[in-house]
Amino acid sequence: MLVGWEYPLPWFLASVVGKSSLILVALRELGLPSIYIDLRKFEERQYLSYRDFILELQREVNGLTRRFPGLIDFLRNIGGVSIMGNQVLFSWKGSNRVSLASLLDALNDWASNGVVIILDEAQELVKARGFNILPVLAYAYDNLRRVRFIISGSKIGLLYRFLKVKDPESPLFGRAMGIVELKPFTKEQVAEFLRRGFEELGIEFSDFDKVYERLGGIPGWLTYFGLKYYEYRDLERAIIDTVSYATALIRQEFNNFLTDKTIARDRYLAIMRIVARECAGWTEIKNGLEVMLGMEISDSRMSEYLRQLLDSAWIIKAGNKYCPAEPLIGVAFRT
């Protein structure tokens, strides 16, 4: 990740597991001013308006101006920007709404050593209504040497679908980018991760395999387990607490996924329950879904359901089988 910043690339793509923590560590080590827009707050929305996005950007820019008051002078003459004392206000209405390109121009002029803009969970921007950020990203790529983007997402299929980097008609088509894809820890990496953490706490621990078998390799779940084990000093209790916490969060996130899928809600749930019992092939899933629903499902519709689940990282394809993307997703839909 840090090595990548030596390349002459204006933006990076980070995906899947532990990305936010990695980005934050990288930002601290780089020491560059940054704007971090966490789009997870819009997961439950069916659409994302320009007002939603610009007010979130306004909040982050105001955080930056508190650290670097000189930035305000570079923002004063931008249309749609008002300065009220030390506070910057962005207009989001009508013809006077602030231009994202103009804001990036100002940041580029101000940041002598560079500024980093992070769009975390950027796939949420696929729900944007009334604005399109892709042409602005392309403009920044071509013209603004001191503005760098990190575009990250945990739903890699949706992220690529949003960016359209392989679509000849996309503004970002043909532009180089660095890609960092983070995968769940292997069994060996889980053992090393826990060993180092417990060593710092002065705790002897050796049940690494049991933890991996029950929790998998997601750093967030492992960190939560470590905290609970430190609190309880009881392996089984810490694992049970972690499973309970993780499955509740997974179910809530799946409900967010279903927000704009009201008509097909029961079908997605049924598919996840089929896959969670045991990895299943396309035909097996289709037959199981038809039995559960008592009706025939077209092949094209079945393929679309699976594509949506794959793109949103709920399932993965292993050979000819579809499986839960990680063990605790399977647990969440078996209980």
Side-chain angles (χ1 to χ4, degrees), residues 34-288:
S34 61
I35 293 172
Y36 194 109
I37 300 178
D38 188 345
L39 293 154
R40 285 177 298 181
K41 69 186 300 179
F42 303 112
E43 281 183 339
E44 298 181 16
R45 304 277 191 90
Q46 293 191 21
Y47 68 91
L48 174 61
S49 70
Y50 189 72
R51 177 184 182 275
D52 295 328
F53 183 79
I54 210 66
L55 291 182
E56 189 67 15
L57 179 60
Q58 174 185 286
R59 186 176 68 84
E60 291 299 315
V61 169
N62 274 301
L64 196 60
T65 58
R66 283 192 289 273
R67 292 177 56 210
F68 304 99
L71 173 58
I72 290 178
D73 292 334
F74 289 82
L75 299 172
R76 287 186 188 280
N77 298 320
I78 298 176
V81 174
S82 301
I83 309 297
M84 305 290 290
N86 292 325
Q87 186 177 19
V88 179
L89 300 176
F90 295 159
S91 173
W92 47 268
K93 289 184 178 180
S95 59
N96 190 45
R97 74 182 194 176
V98 65
S99 159
L100 290 175
S102 296
L103 287 174
L104 294 179
D105 281 336
L107 288 168
N108 187 72
D109 292 342
W110 164 74
S112 57
N113 294 319
V115 60
V116 184
I117 300 174
I118 302 96
L119 301 176
D120 198 4
E121 299 297 352
Q123 72 276 347
E124 296 302 320
L125 286 166
V126 78
K127 299 186 289 191
R129 300 292 182 269
F131 73 105
N132 181 3
I133 200 172
L134 297 187
V136 179
L137 293 177
Y139 168 77
Y141 184 106
D142 293 339
N143 299 284
L144 308 180
R145 295 294 86 189
R146 290 189 288 274
V147 176
R148 298 288 185 268
F149 282 91
I150 297 177
I151 300 172
S152 70
S154 56
K155 301 171 183 176
I156 190 62
L158 286 179
L159 184 59
Y160 278 118
R161 197 193 306 176
F162 160 64
L163 292 172
K164 301 178 182 177
V165 290
K166 296 182 180 180
D167 181 351
E169 296 184 3
S170 170
L172 298 179
F173 178 73
R175 288 170 169 81
M177 61 183 177
I179 299 177
V180 179
E181 185 171 352
L182 305 176
K183 298 180 181 296
F185 289 162
T186 63
K187 183 187 291 188
E188 293 74 20
Q189 289 169 330
V190 167
E192 182 67 7
F193 179 77
L194 292 175
R195 182 186 64 77
R196 291 191 182 189
F198 285 131
E199 274 184 359
E200 291 182 11
L201 297 171
I203 297 174
E204 292 187 7
F205 187 85
S206 60
D207 291 315
F208 305 115
D209 288 352
K210 289 182 182 178
V211 175
Y212 179 76
E213 289 166 8
R214 299 280 293 278
L215 303 181
I218 302 296
W221 307 147
L222 296 171
T223 300
Y224 189 87
F225 163 79
L227 291 171
K228 289 301 173 182
Y229 187 82
Y230 176 72
E231 180 181 349
Y232 302 145
R233 307 302 171 96
D234 182 313
L235 176 66
E236 190 62 21
R237 186 179 175 190
I239 287 176
I240 289 171
D241 257 26
T242 304
V243 170
S244 177
Y245 168 78
T247 53
L249 187 57
I250 287 166
R251 292 187 190 111
Q252 180 57 52
E253 289 182 351
F254 195 72
N255 282 332
N256 294 341
F257 165 77
L258 295 173
T259 298
D260 61 348
K261 301 173 179 63
T262 306
I263 296 175
R265 179 185 182 88
D266 291 343
R267 300 182 181 192
Y268 283 106
L269 284 167
I271 292 169
M272 290 305 300
R273 287 170 182 150
I274 293 167
V275 171
R277 290 199 302 267
E278 189 175 358
C279 294
W282 191 94
T283 301
E284 185 180 351
I285 297 170
K286 183 175 185 291
N287 291 342

